[in-house]
Amino acid sequence: EIGAAPISRTDVGGTGAQAMKAAQEEQEVEEAQAEVTNIPGWTPSVTLEVRDNNETGEEEEIELYSQRSKLYRFKDNEW
């Protein structure tokens, strides 16, 4: 509004500090949920290798026909 007093940080009631605290808590949760790659005193019985190219058996197939469509559902007199 014209002539309205500008809002200072103290007028907001500390929402900036609350937002920073919430962001910090969220970051701590993400760090706590990080993938565990090493557990002291335990060794895996099977090790998996990472493959760059997975063969599915479909590499040499030729696509003869392809069709796309949308599926609608009529429920309660509404599509």
Side-chain angles (χ1 to χ4, degrees):
E1 290 181 74
I2 299 174
I7 299 174
S8 69
R9 291 182 183 234
T10 56
D11 293 339
V12 177
T15 56
Q18 291 171 351
M20 288 179 62
K21 183 177 180 183
Q24 184 180 13
E25 289 175 358
E26 183 178 329
Q27 184 179 8
E28 289 173 0
V29 169
E30 287 177 5
E31 289 173 1
Q33 295 176 350
E35 181 179 1
V36 177
T37 57
N38 187 11
I39 299 173
W42 180 81
T43 57
S45 57
V46 177
T47 56
L48 302 176
E49 61 184 61
V50 178
R51 293 184 171 183
D52 293 331
N53 185 10
N54 292 332
E55 293 185 16
T56 62
E58 299 177 346
E59 290 80 20
E60 296 180 18
E61 292 183 1
I62 299 171
E63 185 175 315
L64 299 176
Y65 178 77
S66 177
Q67 179 179 352
R68 297 179 186 259
S69 62
K70 291 185 179 181
L71 178 64
Y72 293 97
R73 184 172 86 173
F74 188 75
K75 183 178 179 182
D76 300 329
N77 292 328
E78 191 175 299
W79 284 101

